[in-house]
Amino acid sequence: EVQAAHETLVSLEPKVHASAESQKDNFELRWQINRDQEANNEKYMSLEFEFENYRKQSEEELTKQAMVRRSLESDNRALAMRASSMKKQLDAITKERDSMTTELEKWRTGQMRFMQRRGNWGSGRNEAP
């Protein structure tokens, strides 16, 4: 019986050795998996932090762009109102100038007629001035 137990023990020894090697490999693989998992978690947290920073920067940039857009729209409205006012002023000035030109032409025509009559009176013709 001792001999049979010894033979059984000897026959199981390679299996025990293989099992121990397998447990060692399993432990090393678990250790490597844990290291990889920790590295992945760190990378994930880093990427999440980076993403959050980019998101905040994007929101800030969009807010700035919206403020600039509103400011430009306000400036454009003010410029349009000013241009309209200046156009009205120009139209009024042009109308006044045209009126003055018409009056000047009437005055010149009257002066020319007066000078012609005066010239005719002085030349001996009996036309009244």
Side-chain angles (χ1 to χ4, degrees):
E1 247 181 68
V2 172
Q3 181 67 29
H6 185 317
E7 286 175 8
T8 303
L9 185 61
V10 168
S11 71
L12 290 176
E13 194 172 298
K15 292 179 182 177
V16 169
H17 181 68
S19 177
E21 283 294 318
S22 177
Q23 284 181 345
K24 181 182 173 191
D25 291 345
N26 189 17
F27 174 78
E28 288 175 0
L29 287 173
R30 283 187 184 176
W31 182 78
Q32 183 64 41
I33 288 171
N34 285 340
R35 276 190 28 193
D36 290 348
Q37 185 65 40
E38 287 175 7
N40 285 342
N41 286 344
E42 288 176 14
K43 182 66 175 174
Y44 175 81
M45 295 300 274
S46 172
L47 289 173
E48 194 171 87
F49 178 76
E50 200 173 319
F51 172 79
E52 186 62 23
N53 283 339
Y54 285 133
R55 187 188 62 75
K56 286 179 183 177
Q57 288 175 353
S58 295
E59 285 178 359
E60 289 171 3
E61 185 63 29
L62 287 173
T63 301
K64 288 178 188 175
Q65 289 177 2
M67 287 173 45
V68 168
R69 187 188 76 242
R70 284 191 297 270
S71 175
L72 289 173
E73 288 171 351
S74 176
D75 291 350
N76 284 345
R77 282 191 298 272
L79 287 172
M81 289 174 56
R82 185 162 183 229
S84 175
S85 174
M86 292 177 84
K87 172 74 169 105
K88 288 176 184 174
Q89 287 177 340
L90 178 62
D91 289 347
I93 290 169
T94 302
K95 186 176 179 181
E96 184 179 347
R97 183 204 63 201
D98 290 347
S99 174
M100 292 173 85
T101 301
T102 302
E103 288 299 317
L104 178 62
E105 288 300 319
K106 286 181 185 177
W107 180 82
R108 283 184 183 161
T109 302
Q111 287 297 313
M112 288 169 62
R113 285 185 185 150
F114 176 75
M115 294 303 282
Q116 283 177 347
R117 287 181 189 157
R118 195 171 157 195
N120 287 341
W121 182 262
S123 65
R125 298 185 187 157
N126 291 331
E127 295 180 12

Short mmCIF file of all heavy atoms in Angstrom, two decimals, residues 62-77:
data_model
loop_
_atom_site.label_atom_id
_atom_site.label_comp_id
_atom_site.label_asym_id
_atom_site.label_seq_id
_atom_site.Cartn_x
_atom_site.Cartn_y
_atom_site.Cartn_z
N LEU A 62 -17.96 80.13 -26.84
CA LEU A 62 -19.28 80.37 -27.41
C LEU A 62 -19.95 81.58 -26.75
O LEU A 62 -20.60 82.38 -27.42
CB LEU A 62 -20.17 79.13 -27.25
CG LEU A 62 -19.83 77.96 -28.17
CD1 LEU A 62 -20.65 76.74 -27.81
CD2 LEU A 62 -20.04 78.34 -29.62
N THR A 63 -19.77 81.72 -25.43
CA THR A 63 -20.33 82.87 -24.72
C THR A 63 -19.70 84.16 -25.22
O THR A 63 -20.40 85.14 -25.49
CB THR A 63 -20.10 82.72 -23.21
OG1 THR A 63 -20.73 81.51 -22.77
CG2 THR A 63 -20.67 83.89 -22.44
N LYS A 64 -18.37 84.15 -25.39
CA LYS A 64 -17.68 85.34 -25.91
C LYS A 64 -18.15 85.68 -27.31
O LYS A 64 -18.40 86.85 -27.62
CB LYS A 64 -16.16 85.11 -25.93
CG LYS A 64 -15.52 85.11 -24.57
CD LYS A 64 -14.03 84.82 -24.69
CE LYS A 64 -13.38 84.64 -23.34
NZ LYS A 64 -11.96 84.23 -23.45
N GLN A 65 -18.27 84.65 -28.16
CA GLN A 65 -18.72 84.89 -29.53
C GLN A 65 -20.14 85.44 -29.56
O GLN A 65 -20.45 86.33 -30.37
CB GLN A 65 -18.65 83.60 -30.35
CG GLN A 65 -17.24 83.18 -30.67
CD GLN A 65 -17.17 81.85 -31.41
OE1 GLN A 65 -18.19 81.25 -31.74
NE2 GLN A 65 -15.96 81.40 -31.67
N ALA A 66 -20.99 84.95 -28.67
CA ALA A 66 -22.37 85.46 -28.61
C ALA A 66 -22.37 86.93 -28.18
O ALA A 66 -23.13 87.74 -28.72
CB ALA A 66 -23.20 84.61 -27.65
N MET A 67 -21.51 87.26 -27.21
CA MET A 67 -21.43 88.66 -26.75
C MET A 67 -20.94 89.56 -27.88
O MET A 67 -21.48 90.65 -28.10
CB MET A 67 -20.49 88.76 -25.53
CG MET A 67 -21.09 88.19 -24.27
SD MET A 67 -19.94 88.11 -22.86
CE MET A 67 -19.13 89.68 -22.88
N VAL A 68 -19.92 89.11 -28.60
CA VAL A 68 -19.40 89.90 -29.73
C VAL A 68 -20.46 90.06 -30.80
O VAL A 68 -20.65 91.14 -31.35
CB VAL A 68 -18.12 89.23 -30.30
CG1 VAL A 68 -17.72 89.84 -31.62
CG2 VAL A 68 -16.97 89.35 -29.30
N ARG A 69 -21.18 88.96 -31.09
CA ARG A 69 -22.24 89.03 -32.10
C ARG A 69 -23.31 90.03 -31.71
O ARG A 69 -23.74 90.86 -32.51
CB ARG A 69 -22.85 87.65 -32.31
CG ARG A 69 -23.85 87.61 -33.48
CD ARG A 69 -24.60 86.30 -33.59
NE ARG A 69 -25.63 86.27 -32.55
CZ ARG A 69 -25.69 85.40 -31.57
NH1 ARG A 69 -24.80 84.46 -31.46
NH2 ARG A 69 -26.65 85.45 -30.66
N ARG A 70 -23.75 89.97 -30.44
CA ARG A 70 -24.78 90.92 -29.98
C ARG A 70 -24.25 92.35 -30.05
O ARG A 70 -24.98 93.27 -30.44
CB ARG A 70 -25.22 90.57 -28.56
CG ARG A 70 -26.14 89.37 -28.49
CD ARG A 70 -26.78 89.20 -27.13
NE ARG A 70 -25.82 88.93 -26.07
CZ ARG A 70 -25.41 87.73 -25.70
NH1 ARG A 70 -25.88 86.66 -26.31
NH2 ARG A 70 -24.56 87.57 -24.72
N SER A 71 -22.99 92.54 -29.69
CA SER A 71 -22.40 93.88 -29.74
C SER A 71 -22.35 94.38 -31.18
O SER A 71 -22.68 95.54 -31.45
CB SER A 71 -20.99 93.84 -29.14
OG SER A 71 -20.36 95.08 -29.28
N LEU A 72 -21.94 93.50 -32.10
CA LEU A 72 -21.88 93.90 -33.51
C LEU A 72 -23.27 94.20 -34.06
O LEU A 72 -23.44 95.15 -34.83
CB LEU A 72 -21.20 92.81 -34.34
CG LEU A 72 -19.70 92.63 -34.11
CD1 LEU A 72 -19.19 91.41 -34.87
CD2 LEU A 72 -18.94 93.88 -34.52
N GLU A 73 -24.24 93.39 -33.67
CA GLU A 73 -25.62 93.65 -34.12
C GLU A 73 -26.09 95.00 -33.60
O GLU A 73 -26.72 95.77 -34.34
CB GLU A 73 -26.55 92.54 -33.64
CG GLU A 73 -26.36 91.23 -34.37
CD GLU A 73 -27.13 90.07 -33.75
OE1 GLU A 73 -27.68 90.24 -32.63
OE2 GLU A 73 -27.17 89.00 -34.37
N SER A 74 -25.77 95.31 -32.35
CA SER A 74 -26.15 96.60 -31.78
C SER A 74 -25.44 97.74 -32.51
O SER A 74 -26.06 98.75 -32.84
CB SER A 74 -25.78 96.61 -30.29
OG SER A 74 -26.05 97.88 -29.73
N ASP A 75 -24.14 97.55 -32.78
CA ASP A 75 -23.38 98.56 -33.53
C ASP A 75 -23.97 98.76 -34.92
O ASP A 75 -24.08 99.90 -35.39
CB ASP A 75 -21.91 98.16 -33.65
CG ASP A 75 -21.17 98.22 -32.32
OD1 ASP A 75 -21.73 98.76 -31.34
OD2 ASP A 75 -20.02 97.73 -32.27
N ASN A 76 -24.35 97.66 -35.57
CA ASN A 76 -24.94 97.75 -36.91
C ASN A 76 -26.25 98.52 -36.88
O ASN A 76 -26.52 99.34 -37.76
CB ASN A 76 -25.16 96.36 -37.51
CG ASN A 76 -23.88 95.73 -37.98
OD1 ASN A 76 -22.87 96.40 -38.14
ND2 ASN A 76 -23.91 94.42 -38.20
N ARG A 77 -27.08 98.26 -35.86
CA ARG A 77 -28.34 99.00 -35.74
C ARG A 77 -28.07 100.49 -35.54
O ARG A 77 -28.71 101.34 -36.16
CB ARG A 77 -29.19 98.45 -34.60
CG ARG A 77 -29.90 97.16 -34.93
CD ARG A 77 -30.92 96.78 -33.86
NE ARG A 77 -30.33 96.55 -32.57
CZ ARG A 77 -29.85 95.40 -32.13
NH1 ARG A 77 -29.88 94.34 -32.92
NH2 ARG A 77 -29.33 95.28 -30.94
#
